[in-house]
Every structure is written in structure tokens, then in C-alpha cells.
Amino acid sequence: MTGTTTPARSAKPHQRSRKTHRRLTAAFTYLFLTAAGVLFMFPLYWQVATSLKTVQQTLTYPPVWIPSPPQWGNYLELLDRFPMFQYIGNSTFISLAVITGTLLSCSMAAYGFARLRMPGRDLIFVVLLATLMLPGMVTLIPQFVMFQRLHWTNTFYPLIVPAFFGSALYIFMLRQFFMTIPVELEDAARMDGAGYFRIYAQIVMPLAKPALITVAILSFVATWNDFFGPLIYLSDNEKYTVAVALRYLQGSVRTRPENHLLMAAATISIIPPLVIFFIAQREFMQGVVVSGVKG
């Protein structure tokens, strides 16, 4: 009787040690992630805190960590002195137009690379991927000369039209996702008389919602934060985007101590990308994971 119970008793301390080890590992992991999260969130906190300080508090050393009282009037002063809503409207219009062009062109090209059989398809796809290694500065001057001869400078066309000709990165991501869609669905639709465009529009695109949202978010963030393109092609102040407006405001800070207004403008500028990401974060994460599953 005693011999049968001894192994069970000896197994209990081993199980307890394993549970203790797992709990300690989980506690250390959560502690490390919490510390890392606080560290990464500190610049954002400092930005928001500085936007709520007075001019004297921004120049005080040692620095003021918590503004007291918060100067919410800094945002009203910013909006009175700078047309931030106009800049945000310009960036929003350009970003939405770029998203539209990117989704249309990249999804069609990706569907062709994923499903259509034609001679040299793989070679063309390799050449397309090779363009990812081409620096943007190499094509900058030819593109500027082309848009200048088209009389498109100081307009939004140079910032929007290239999106309707596709992007190698987004085509690659969508192609990877399209290859995970079962071919049997398309075969069944083809037996019912559906053509390639109908299959693309009514079957593939609805199933590719996570990948499309991922591409839309990445395209929106890249366009919203783009500084070099608007700086080169736009010359009128009323056509500036948020990125160029922040740089213009940063230049004025050098002559006058207005870091609080600069941080207020930066805080306003990050609100649209954050809102879009939090709304579509589930589809975004799913699209990022699935778009790299199959090669």
C-alpha cells in the first residue's frame, strides 16, 4: 500500500515546482513587457505633457513632468494662428486618394500574379520584387522632370497618380494572401459562368478583407507621414500637408520659444492614424499574419 502511494507523493512536489516556474516566468514576462511599454510610451507622454505647458514651463530646468495647471488653451491658440484643419484636410484627401489607387491597382496585379497563367509570369514577378531594392532617390529627378513637363507641379497629382500604378510591396503582400484562398471556390464560380473579373470582384475581394485593410492602413500611414513628396511638389502654403506644416512650425520655434504649440500640432497630427489603427487593428493583425503564410 505504501509502495503504490510513494510515486504519487513524489510527483506532487515536481508538479508544484513546474507550476511555480511557469508563474515566475509569466510574471517576469509581464513585468518586462510593462516596463518596455512604459519606456516606448514615454515620448508620447512627453509630447502631450509639453503641449499642455506654459512657455515658462517648457524652458524650466529641471523639466516639469506634470503641467499644472494644464494649458488647454494652447490648442486654441494653435488653431487660431495656424490653419491646422486645412493641413489635415489636405493630408486626408491625398491619403484617401492614394488608398483608393493602391487598393485598385495592387489588388488587380496581385490577383494576376496569383491566379493567371501566362508565359514569363514568374520572371515579371521577380523583376517587380527587384524594384524594392531601387532607392527612391534614383527615380526622384526623372519623376520631377516628367511631372514638371505635365504642368503638375504645385498640385496634388504627383502625390496621388503614382498610386494608381501599383506598389511592389503591396502587390507582394496581396499576392501572398490570394494564394491562400482555395482554388475550388474559383473553379465552382467558373463552372457557373463567372469570368475572371467577376471572380475577382465578388469572391476574391470580399475574402481578402483583412489583407486589404492591412494595405490600406500601411498606405495611409506612409502617405500621412510623407514629407519629401509634398515638400518637392507643393509650393503654396494652403496646399501643405501635415508633415510639411509641422516642419514649417518647427522653423518658427527657432525664432520664438513655442515648443508647446509644436507639440500641440504634433499631438493633433497623430490622432487620425491612431483612430484608424485602433478601429481596424484586428483585421490589420490578421492580414499581416496571413499575407506571409504561403509563398
Side-chain angles (χ1 to χ4, degrees):
M1 189 73 177
T2 305
T4 58
T5 57
T6 302
R9 292 178 179 178
S10 61
K12 288 183 179 180
H14 181 66
Q15 293 178 356
R16 292 197 191 110
S17 63
R18 291 179 60 184
K19 290 181 180 178
T20 303
H21 178 72
R22 286 198 298 265
R23 290 175 181 174
L24 290 176
T25 303
F28 177 78
T29 302
Y30 286 126
L31 181 62
F32 174 77
L33 293 177
T34 302
V38 172
L39 179 63
F40 289 133
M41 289 295 293
F42 177 75
L44 179 61
Y45 166 77
W46 186 255
Q47 172 183 299
V48 176
T50 305
S51 69
L52 298 175
K53 295 178 182 179
T54 61
V55 177
Q56 291 75 17
Q57 289 176 341
T58 59
L59 302 176
T60 301
Y61 185 83
V64 177
W65 296 100
I66 302 177
S68 179
Q71 303 295 316
W72 298 103
N74 292 341
Y75 289 88
L76 296 178
E77 182 182 356
L78 172 69
L79 297 178
D80 288 338
R81 295 178 53 183
F82 296 94
M84 283 300 299
F85 285 128
Q86 182 176 358
Y87 300 147
I88 291 176
N90 294 338
S91 294
T92 301
F93 173 76
I94 295 173
S95 299
L96 293 179
V98 169
I99 289 175
T100 303
T102 300
L103 293 181
L104 287 175
S105 59
C106 294
S107 61
M108 288 185 179
Y111 179 71
F113 283 120
R115 287 293 188 261
L116 300 184
R117 296 181 179 180
M118 59 182 178
R121 181 193 65 177
D122 296 336
L123 178 60
I124 297 175
F125 185 68
V126 171
V127 173
L128 175 69
L129 294 182
T131 60
L132 292 173
M133 297 182 290
L134 190 66
M137 298 301 172
V138 175
T139 60
L140 176 63
I141 295 178
Q143 283 185 349
F144 181 82
V145 172
M146 178 183 64
F147 291 134
Q148 189 178 38
R149 292 181 177 178
L150 291 173
H151 303 288
W152 282 4
T153 54
N154 199 28
T155 66
F156 293 154
Y157 292 123
L159 307 175
I160 296 175
V161 173
F164 287 84
F165 291 89
S167 170
L169 176 62
Y170 300 145
I171 291 174
F172 169 74
M173 293 180 60
L174 292 175
R175 173 188 176 270
Q176 299 301 99
F177 188 92
F178 290 161
M179 293 183 67
T180 63
I181 299 177
V183 183
E184 291 77 11
L185 295 176
E186 301 178 29
D187 293 338
R190 197 171 291 110
M191 292 178 62
D192 292 337
Y196 282 111
F197 282 102
R198 185 176 178 183
I199 294 174
Y200 160 81
Q202 298 184 0
I203 296 179
V204 175
M205 294 298 283
L207 293 176
K209 180 181 176 181
L212 295 175
I213 292 179
T214 301
V215 171
I217 293 178
L218 294 177
S219 178
F220 177 83
V221 173
T223 307
W224 187 270
N225 295 329
D226 184 24
F227 170 75
F228 206 59
L231 179 66
I232 292 176
Y233 294 112
L234 302 179
S235 57
D236 293 341
N237 293 342
E238 63 271 10
K239 296 181 181 178
Y240 281 170
T241 60
V242 171
V244 180
L246 289 177
R247 184 63 183 87
Y248 173 76
L249 183 59
Q250 184 180 6
S252 66
V253 171
R254 296 179 180 178
T255 58
R256 290 181 293 180
E258 295 180 333
N259 287 322
H260 59 302
L261 297 183
L262 178 61
M263 293 298 103
T267 302
I268 294 176
S269 68
I270 66 174
I271 292 177
L274 286 178
V275 171
I276 292 178
F277 175 77
F278 283 118
I279 291 177
Q281 61 177 331
R282 179 177 299 179
E283 289 79 5
F284 175 76
M285 297 305 298
Q286 183 180 356
V288 169
V289 173
V290 179
S291 58
V293 169
K294 188 174 182 180

